[in-house]
């Protein structure tokens, strides 16, 4: 609530200057057409926050060119030869690899099923968050890292056994795929199995009575989401008052 009002001030002070304010909770970024305008925007925001007893963090507040890139909400935004690519940030990748390593170290006495269950929760959450950006290469690298740490886990549990024995105990075939870390009950998911789905912008001016096809297509796209979301959208898009 303390940050409410920044966007209105920027619109008033920089009309037609292509200054855009993007905010998520207490994280925000501002795009501007030049460094000079970006510096003016920073000073405007600094004055706004000072009235409320706050100040910008010198470490976290930077002005950078889009060709050099910047991180925001776990993603890296950068233009490569004029093309904007959004990828998982290095900080986000480091955090998940550390998280995986911590869980595997804690799992010394766990069963394979327990380990798979905990790792799958991480994989699902991370891939669902990053599956709308350029993440295929990162997903493949994380699969390789997952193979490394699970192999180390198996070897530590059986230090006196050979590689073939460890492999045959914990890795099995699954359909056409070999070397799957699995049991009869569970199997480890792969980051790279998550299909990249580009985010579809919403048509905020769409009318459920005039743009029926738009809502039908949107319903298809979200059919895998939770049932209550599907129910609410179905009601909004297709219910009609009596008498129409």
């Amino acid at each position: 609530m303390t940050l409410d009002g920044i966007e209105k001030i920027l619109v008033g002070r920089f009309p037609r200057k292509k200054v855009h304010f993007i905010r998520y909770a207490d994280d925000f970024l501002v795009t501007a057409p030049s460094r000079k305008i970006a510096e003016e925007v920073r000073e405007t925001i600094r004055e706004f926050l000072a009235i409320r007893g706050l100040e910008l963090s010198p470490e976290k507040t930077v002005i950078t060119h889009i060709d050099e890139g910047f991180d925001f909400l776990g993603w890296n935004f950068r233009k490569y030869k004029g093309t904007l690519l959004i990828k998982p940030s290095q900080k986000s990748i480091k955090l998940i690899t550390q998280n995986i390593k911590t869980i595997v170290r804690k799992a010394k006495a766990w069963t394979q099923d327990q380990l798979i269950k905990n790792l799958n929760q991480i994989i699902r959450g991370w891939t669902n968050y990053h599956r709308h950006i350029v993440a295929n290469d990162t997903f493949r690298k994380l699969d390789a890292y997952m193979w490394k740490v699970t192999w180390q886990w198996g070897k530590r549990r059986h230090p006196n056994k050979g590689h073939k024995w460890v492999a045959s105990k914990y890795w099995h075939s699954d359909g056409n795929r070999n070397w799957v870390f699995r049991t009869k009950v569970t199997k480890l998911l792969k980051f790279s199995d998550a299909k990249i789905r580009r985010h579809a912008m919403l048509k905020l001016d769409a009318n459920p009575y005039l743009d029926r096809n738009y809502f039908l297509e949107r319903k298809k796209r979200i059919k895998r989401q939770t049932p209550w979301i599907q129910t609410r959208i179905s009601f909004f898009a297709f219910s009609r008052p009596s008498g129409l």
Side-chain angles (χ1 to χ4, degrees), residues 45-197:
I45 294 176
R46 195 192 310 277
E47 294 172 357
F48 176 92
L49 294 177
I51 297 174
R52 290 155 177 77
L54 301 174
E55 60 183 14
L56 292 173
S57 169
E59 296 80 15
K60 296 181 179 180
T61 305
V62 296
I63 296 177
T64 183
H65 195 278
I66 189 63
D67 289 344
E68 298 175 3
F70 61 90
D71 291 347
F72 185 60
L73 302 178
W75 295 342
N76 178 261
F77 298 74
R78 183 179 175 184
K79 273 191 175 182
Y80 297 82
K81 297 181 179 179
T83 301
L84 176 64
L85 297 181
I86 307 173
K87 303 179 180 181
S89 68
Q90 290 301 312
K91 182 179 179 180
S92 181
I93 295 171
K94 183 178 180 179
L95 286 174
I96 190 174
T97 53
Q98 289 178 340
N99 197 5
I100 291 170
K101 182 186 293 187
T102 299
I103 288 179
V104 173
R105 285 180 176 177
K106 288 171 57 179
K108 292 180 179 179
W110 292 1
T111 65
Q112 188 181 8
D113 282 320
Q114 288 175 307
L115 176 59
I116 291 174
K117 180 180 178 181
N118 281 269
L119 291 177
N120 280 349
Q121 290 178 344
I122 295 176
I123 295 171
R124 286 194 188 95
W126 210 82
T127 55
N128 283 337
Y129 184 78
H130 294 282
R131 68 188 306 176
H132 300 287
I133 61 174
V134 183
N136 271 331
D137 186 57
T138 300
F139 287 169
R140 287 193 292 268
K141 290 179 179 179
L142 288 174
D143 282 336
Y145 179 77
M146 189 69 79
W147 154 258
K148 176 182 177 181
V149 295
T150 51
W151 177 257
Q152 292 173 344
W153 176 84
K155 286 294 293 179
R156 279 197 299 266
R157 287 172 68 89
H158 308 283
N160 298 322
K161 297 293 184 179
H163 287 21
K164 289 185 178 180
W165 189 95
V166 173
S168 63
K169 180 173 178 62
Y170 295 111
W171 279 267
H172 308 280
S173 298
D174 182 55
N176 296 326
R177 182 180 293 174
N178 297 321
W179 289 91
V180 179
F181 191 69
R182 63 167 301 172
T183 68
K184 293 181 179 180
V185 180
T186 58
K187 68 177 179 180
L188 185 66
L189 300 175
K190 294 189 69 175
F191 286 90
S192 56
D193 282 343
K195 295 181 179 179
I196 299 298
R197 296 187 305 181

Side-chain angles (χ1 to χ4, degrees), residues 3-43:
L3 300 180
D4 289 349
I6 293 180
E7 184 174 10
K8 184 177 181 181
I9 289 180
L10 294 182
V11 170
R13 292 197 180 184
F14 303 94
R16 298 183 295 278
K17 290 290 185 68
K18 294 184 179 180
V19 172
H20 301 286
F21 179 78
I22 302 97
R23 174 183 163 197
Y24 183 84
D26 60 345
D27 289 322
F28 63 86
L29 66 89
V30 181
T31 62
S34 68
R35 184 176 186 87
K36 179 181 178 181
I37 294 178
E39 290 173 347
E40 293 176 3
V41 169
R42 181 175 60 183
E43 186 59 31

